[in-house]
Structure formats: structure tokens, C-alpha cells
Amino acid sequence: MTQSHPRISKAVIPAAGLGTRFLPATKATPKEMLPVVDKPAIQYVVEEAVSAGLSDVLMITGRNKRPLEDHFDRNYELEEALSRKGDAGRLARVQESSDLATMHYVRQGDPRGLGHAVLCAAPHVGDQPFAVLLGDDLIDPRDPLLARMVEVQQREGGSVIALMEVDPAQIHQYGCAAVKPTGDSDVVQVTDLVEKPEAGEAPSNLAIIGRYVLDPAIFGILRETEPGRGGEIQLTDAIQKLADAHLAGGSSVGPVHGVVFKGRRYDTGDRGDYLRAIVRLACEREDLGPGFRAWLRRFVTEEM
């Protein structure tokens, strides 16, 4: 008989980073508010959580992040102005962000890494499993990664991380997983994790990307986790301890699985990839795509 596990309803989105790679644009504007075509990157992430059934969203913020809260709040003056103009289309788009989810916010007063940011969510999450979504990774809604991860966690318990095959020459830029197969072609059991391994020392070419479904036992481990690489509390180190505890046996902590994602992912954490993400998404838009693709072809053939 399939074991029943607590239903997941809460998503945590760490958004306290300074966005130094995008300076000076992020001097006064949170990097999460940079537009990807005509929506801020953070809205795509919240929409993904909601589409996976997680409508209770906690955002971990920091100083100068008030625009994030404003974006997901009502703007009555703007809505009234659009209503008076009879601009129903823009009014609906403005109201969409404030109606998406039940939003909560907590500040990470001392930025001590992703593990510390996740630990800030403990009072809100309590003793239920929860999802973590990083804003630098945008997952195409046609490839429902998070929904698949939730499905695996509900069936297997424990924790689930998102993995993606990358060029072995690039694996040093990521957390990396050692795995063994399961009965599902897209699911593996994680046996080891290494944060940004040196060249030639990576156990695989499976990189951790920014989606996690975590057992609440992670909080107790994070409280005891010492700063690791970069002097920060690494979430990868804590997940490794969850995997070790399960593999050692005699522990109620569930396994750590990975879902190997082969879909469309847009990396907005790097300036070049951010621009490529905008081009890809604009090309696929019904309202923008035809004209933009035609211009892009002319630009490449005539001006490059």
C-alpha cells in the first residue's frame, strides 16, 4: 500500500540577494524585478508555484526589496486610472499579480547564504514539507518540473531536488549529485552532493538547479550546519546530511530523490543568459513573436 505523506501547500522564494552581477541596474531596483519581456522575473516564479498547487508563498527578502511587496499588492490608483480609460486588458494584467497567491514576507537580516535564507522560513512552514524556488531559474510552464517533484515527494516522502545534465566542463559552476537509478526513468536517488566541485572531481554531470521540495527536518540540520564554501551556510550541505541519515538507516528522515529535468529552463542569473531568455520568450509570444522573429532574422543577416 502506498504510504500517505503530508500535502504540500507552501512555497518559499529566497529573494534577498544583492544582484551584484547586474549593477548598476540593481543599485535601487531588486534583481527579481528586472523585466523578462513585460513581467518581472519574480512573477514567473510565483506563477510556477501556484500552477503546482502551492498558493501559500513566503518570500525571503532583504533591504531595498520593498518593490517586491508592492508588485504583489493592489495598486488602487493605477487600477482606477485604467478603469476610467476603459483599458480592460491592462487592468487585468495589473490585477493578475495581486490575485495570484497568498503572499507573506520575512526579512533575512544577515545574508549568510541560501541555507540561512531557507532557515528563515521555519516559523512559517512549521512541520510540513515545502518547496523552495530560486528566482534565477525560470522554468517554462509547458514543462511542469515542480508539479512532478511534488508528485514524487508525495509518493516517496523525504526530499526531492531538481537535476539537469550539463556540459562536464561547466559542472564546477553548480552543486553536483551522485545518484543511483530508480524505477522511474526521470527519477534518481541521491547518494552524494558536492557544492561546485573542482574539475575532474565531480561525481556526475547532473547539476542541481533552483527547485527543491524539502522535508521539514532540514530546519534542524540547518541550525547545526557550519558555514561552508564561500563562508555561507550551504543548503546543499544540509541536504547531503538528510541523504546520509537515510542511507545510514535507523532514521525517520526520508530519502533524497532527484528529478532529472529535460525541459526548457531560462537562466536569468547571468547577463548573457538573461538576454537570451528574453529573446526566446519574446519569440514564442503570440502577440510579439511573428514581428520580433522577422526583425531578428533581418538583424542577424543584414547587420551582423
Side-chain angles (χ1 to χ4, degrees), residues 31 43-44 71 154 169 209 227 238 298 304:
K31 67 173 184 176
Q43 184 170 333
Y44 289 88
H71 179 71
Q154 296 287 266
I209 59 174
R298 290 195 302 271
M304 295 297 289

Side-chain angles (χ1 to χ4, degrees), residues 29-176:
T29 302
K31 67 173 184 176
E32 296 85 5
M33 290 301 296
L34 294 178
V36 180
V37 187
D38 56 2
K39 279 193 299 193
I42 194 68
Q43 184 170 333
Y44 289 88
V45 179
V46 174
E47 288 172 349
E48 180 187 352
V50 172
S51 70
L54 314 182
S55 58
D56 185 318
V57 177
L58 174 67
M59 204 167 289
I60 312 298
T61 67
R63 293 185 66 248
N64 301 323
K65 298 287 185 168
R66 182 60 186 270
L68 293 171
E69 299 184 35
D70 291 341
H71 179 71
F72 292 101
D73 200 358
R74 299 294 297 271
N75 187 326
Y76 293 101
E77 294 83 358
L78 177 58
E79 292 177 24
E80 179 61 25
L82 292 171
S83 181
R84 286 198 305 269
K85 291 180 179 179
D87 195 339
R90 286 192 176 89
L91 176 60
R93 288 195 291 274
V94 166
Q95 292 175 331
E96 181 182 13
S97 60
S98 57
D99 295 336
L100 267 176
T102 302
M103 302 294 299
H104 309 270
Y105 304 90
V106 65
R107 280 198 175 193
Q108 183 187 13
D110 184 11
R112 296 165 55 198
L114 177 57
H116 181 258
V118 171
L119 184 55
C120 292
H124 181 78
V125 169
D127 60 356
Q128 301 297 310
F130 64 104
V132 175
L133 298 87
L134 305 189
D136 288 346
D137 285 323
L138 303 188
I139 304 298
D140 194 295
R142 294 167 293 185
D143 302 312
L145 169 61
L146 185 59
R148 175 59 171 155
M149 294 173 67
V150 169
E151 176 189 337
V152 172
Q153 197 282 335
Q154 296 287 266
R155 184 185 70 203
E156 304 290 347
S159 299
V160 182
I161 63 176
L163 302 172
M164 193 170 192
E165 293 183 353
V166 301
D167 186 326
Q170 304 298 318
I171 194 66
H172 68 280
Q173 300 176 10
Y174 299 87
C176 176

Side-chain angles (χ1 to χ4, degrees), residues 260-282:
V260 182
F261 182 60
K262 298 183 182 294
R264 288 156 283 201
R265 166 182 173 254
Y266 310 106
D267 183 356
T268 62
D270 172 83
R271 288 173 298 176
D273 285 337
Y274 170 75
L275 294 173
R276 285 185 280 273
I278 292 173
V279 171
R280 290 191 190 104
L281 289 169

